[in-house]
Amino acid sequence: MSTHRWPEQGCALLQLYLLMSFSQSEESLCRRRGDPDIPQLSKDGEIMLGGIFSFHSSWKNKENTYSEEPQPLECISLNFREFQFAQTMRFAIEEINNSTDLLPGISLGYSIHDTCGSIARSVKVALALNNGNDNVSSNSEESCNRRAQVQAILGETSSSPSTAIATVLGPFQIPLISHFATCACLSDKSKYPSFLRTVPSDYYQSRALAQLVKHFGWTWVGAVRTNDDYGNNGMATFTETAEQLGICLEYSVAFFRTDPSEKIQNIIELIKASTSKVIVAFLSHMDMDVLIHKLSNHNLTGYQWVGSESWIFDSQIAAMDKNHILDGAIGLSIPKAHVSALKDFMFHVKPLISSNNDLFTEFWEALFSCKFKQSQSEEIQTECTGHEDLTDVQNSFTDMSLMPIFNNVYKGVYAVAHALHNIFECNKTCNNSHIRKIHFQTKEGHEVYFNKYGDPAAKYEIINWQPRDNGIVDFISVGLYDDTVKLLFFSSFFWCFYLLQVPVSVCSEKCPPGTRKVLQKGKPVCCHDCVPCAEDSITCVRCPLESWSNEKRDACVKKEAVFLSYEEIMGALLTSVSLLGTCLTAAVAFIFFKYRKTPLVRANNSELSFLLLFSLTLCFLCSLTFIGQPSKWSCMLRHTAFGITFVLCLSCVLGKTMVVLMAFKATLPGRNAMKWFGPTQQRLSVLGFTFIQVIICILWLSISPPFPFKNFKEYKDKIILECALGSAVGFWSVLGYIGLLAMLCFIFAFLARKLPDNFNEAKFITFSMLIFCAVWLTFIPAYVSSPGKFSVAVEIFAILASSFGLLICIFIPKCYIMLLKPERNTKKHMMGKGASKSI
């Protein structure tokens, strides 16, 4: 459609539209709308390939008046890198055309366009490559349909234009093969069915960068990204993975190279105010150009940079970094590659200059900082001759450090060629997705294939910026990453600011042993305070039940086992008292045996007295079973021995009390009570009362016996070794039965307390039972409330106190008479009613 100025009045526009709609001609045309899009580089061939590159990185902004048709973009800022990509594409096509093995007899042509970095222009160029620039004739009954003008398109370099182009070309099933568009979004085949690439997806790069950051212990980082599909999608994946790995972002900001300088200035101020020392830069090389220029003005050094593959191995970025802000940077790059003969072809651009190509004329002038004369009268400071020598030039065009990307372009062209070659060999039976099934090796041995998402295998080199003494930066490969072995390091690093060890970037230092994290309110989870752990834990993880943390809370130590032992003072003292009681009882028994034929011993039932002394000896000795480390047998022995011996003792006391009472009854007229409670009955009563306690103990041991138990509750830092009762009913039944016998003894002794003194010992038994009952009534609350080994000591004290009470009250007065008052130890005195009351 020819360009004319639109009429200002709407009615004139309507008339023109009606005129065009109803006009008839013998031959109708399918007309192109807009200006034709002329390729910057082209070559005819039997099969055409398209190329879309940004030979210019920007354009002049013009304000539209909306009163006339917008003018074509005026492109500015030559991008030498894109010239290199185009040259690589031309080189691969020339190599294929000269090959006798691949597409023999078929020539490939190319049509390469400049998009000036504009997404809108990228879409327009893609449609031009698809439709062609010619008007197509057709009669009124035919459509304007025709075959696509190119079989595949190579490009774009960036992700955002690639998504736009892939969206347009997808319905036409025209393959778009990118060499550097890494956005993971492009793997979505439902949106971009015909998109392929020879560079790995950022799905892997973003995760690899997060793992790289985690490897060095950086949990508090800042993030800067390009505000386009590449940066936003890549950073979103990085952020998601970082959160899973426990990494926090202090800030995450985005900008585009065309943003106002104030926005970039705000980002720099944010970096200055931040506390993180690591910056993850997911930026395109053009945005990194802008940022590094601004950073250099502020001399913003001392930060560890982590970069994406777009700029981390770009020598142009390194050359711009005059203040060495990026020294020590690490990141991921495409693995090193080499394409033989490419460098010579790359520099062979003079034929393009001689062909009067406007783009390459501009390129040549920028390359050598000269200008071609347009007329003889034009005065030029440095005139271009067209014969300048590239070998003497050092700039981004002659820099071959981007060979890995050149290799991606090279592989993309060969992928198309192999797909076409296979189509020609399969006799037109191939489907449209044949290019996805190619699998071959280039002449350099690089394997080329696509997965189901149209992506190659993910392989990266880990790059470290290491400056030389002369200030030039070397990109040193220090490790590898792929989707199978993950991170692999094989070389030493150079860190930012000439640090000798890995920089530290954390919001809060790791809590020392013995403390735990408490999150700071309103801050990410990486920011915390450290508070002391509980006393029974280290690093706030509880020690095993039998262990305890030391004072520093950095180690678990075994808890001290506590029990009443013979070695400690309390145990030794109780043992001594027990043995003393045993010895005293033995001494009393010896005295009674020596004076066994005296009236005093015979009058007080010598048989029961000796049995009582024997039981008291057992009572004193049974207290020793409570001392020492509890074991299965000692736990069962201590309570049962105590219960049986005390019942035996009380049975004897009860028998003696009954003897005194019956003896008095027998002196009354008409009473003969002693025949019902003679020696045989006395023995049977003692045996019967004791047998009942034996039955109780057997039932206790059979149903739920006492057992050794580790008590962790009383003390936090100690283990109390004690005997658990097993059955509390059994224990209190034993004590209850002893208490019942003690009460019977007390009652009978109390009834007999006023009988003639020369006859009985009832009042002494009464005193002994008062002591016995007082001791055991006091024992119960003391036993229940005493912790650990003290409860054992209380029980031993009760045994010893009640045993001494019986021994002293019942036997010591008699020993006193036998040893010191022998004149009272006579039958006359015992039978006399006028004797002194000394017994």
Side-chain angles (χ1 to χ4, degrees), residues 381-435:
Q381 186 175 1
T382 304
E383 183 180 354
C384 294
T385 62
H387 300 288
E388 285 79 5
D389 189 1
L390 275 173
T391 57
D392 298 331
V393 176
Q394 289 186 350
N395 57 26
S396 57
F397 181 75
T398 58
D399 176 22
M400 299 300 290
S401 63
L402 298 182
M403 185 63 77
I405 309 179
F406 304 158
N407 186 49
N408 286 345
V409 179
Y410 181 83
K411 290 189 293 186
V413 176
Y414 265 83
V416 176
H418 276 272
L420 292 171
H421 186 88
N422 294 339
I423 289 173
F424 284 122
E425 286 189 341
C426 67
N427 298 321
K428 300 181 181 180
T429 60
C430 303
N431 56 38
N432 292 334
S433 62
H434 195 81
I435 191 170

Side-chain angles (χ1 to χ4, degrees), residues 241-256:
T241 308
E243 289 177 353
Q244 295 171 359
L245 296 176
I247 301 168
C248 300
L249 271 64
E250 183 179 10
Y251 58 86
S252 180
V253 291
F255 76 96
F256 198 69

Side-chain angles (χ1 to χ4, degrees), residues 642-654:
F642 151 69
I644 292 172
T645 56
F646 256 82
V647 165
L648 178 61
C649 180
L650 290 174
S651 299
C652 294
V653 173
L654 184 60

Side-chain angles (χ1 to χ4, degrees), residues 518-532:
V518 175
L519 297 183
Q520 295 178 2
K521 188 175 181 180
K523 291 189 176 181
V525 294
C526 300
C527 302
H528 58 263
D529 296 319
C530 298
V531 298

Side-chain angles (χ1 to χ4, degrees), residues 156-171:
E156 252 261 19
T157 303
S158 301
S159 295
S160 290
S162 294
T163 58
I165 297 171
T167 302
V168 172
L169 295 182

Side-chain angles (χ1 to χ4, degrees), residues 122 632 657 816:
S122 297
K632 178 181 178 183
T657 307
Y816 171 77

